[in-house]
Amino acid sequence: MTKTVILIIISILIYSTSIAQTIIRDPNPRKDVANVFFNSKYTLFDHLTDEPIFPDQRGIYSIYYASNENRRPYSYKGNAKGLSKLLMYKFKNYSNCNNWCKVKSK
């Protein structure tokens, strides 16, 4: 392949990845409410760090969650529809979830 073709392919891949991971914040001023009552037309943000959480290429989220009543990290792997029914605080990874649980348990 020529350098031009390779550059075009790389550009297309970068562009398609950036479209898939566009950040759209829920207009609700309370970030905790937007996190718990996740609406799939908006980007999900980590409850502790406010980092965006994106699904994989198949639309599957791999996150951790916990609640004030049950301060223990649990994992979730599924689509946005299932995630919107999960009325818990959502976290990007185990470490963030566990740190939040430790702080809340004090």
Side-chain angles (χ1 to χ4, degrees), residues 77-88:
K77 190 169 187 167
N79 62 20
K81 184 176 181 179
L83 193 59
S84 66
K85 295 177 183 177
L86 181 66
L87 304 181
M88 305 280 186

Side-chain angles (χ1 to χ4, degrees), residues 18-88:
S18 65
I19 289 174
Q21 296 189 344
T22 301
I23 295 174
I24 304 171
R25 190 173 288 275
D26 188 328
N28 190 321
R30 293 190 53 200
K31 292 179 183 176
D32 59 333
V33 172
N35 178 279
V36 171
F37 298 99
F38 170 63
N39 183 332
S40 62
K41 56 185 194 179
Y42 301 112
T43 304
L44 176 62
F45 289 87
D46 186 287
H47 181 61
L48 181 69
T49 63
D50 203 37
E51 298 172 81
I53 303 172
F54 297 106
D56 66 15
Q57 294 161 336
R58 298 170 304 157
I60 302 299
Y61 287 86
S62 294
I63 65 154
Y64 286 84
Y65 65 92
S67 69
N68 286 317
E69 297 75 27
N70 193 354
R71 297 179 194 121
R72 183 174 153 225
Y74 293 93
S75 65
Y76 170 84
K77 190 169 187 167
N79 62 20
K81 184 176 181 179
L83 193 59
S84 66
K85 295 177 183 177
L86 181 66
L87 304 181
M88 305 280 186

Side-chain angles (χ1 to χ4, degrees), residues 1-15:
M1 281 198 254
T2 67
K3 289 182 182 180
T4 306
V5 172
I6 293 172
L7 288 174
I8 291 171
I9 292 171
I10 290 171
S11 298
I12 291 170
L13 289 173
I14 290 171
Y15 179 73

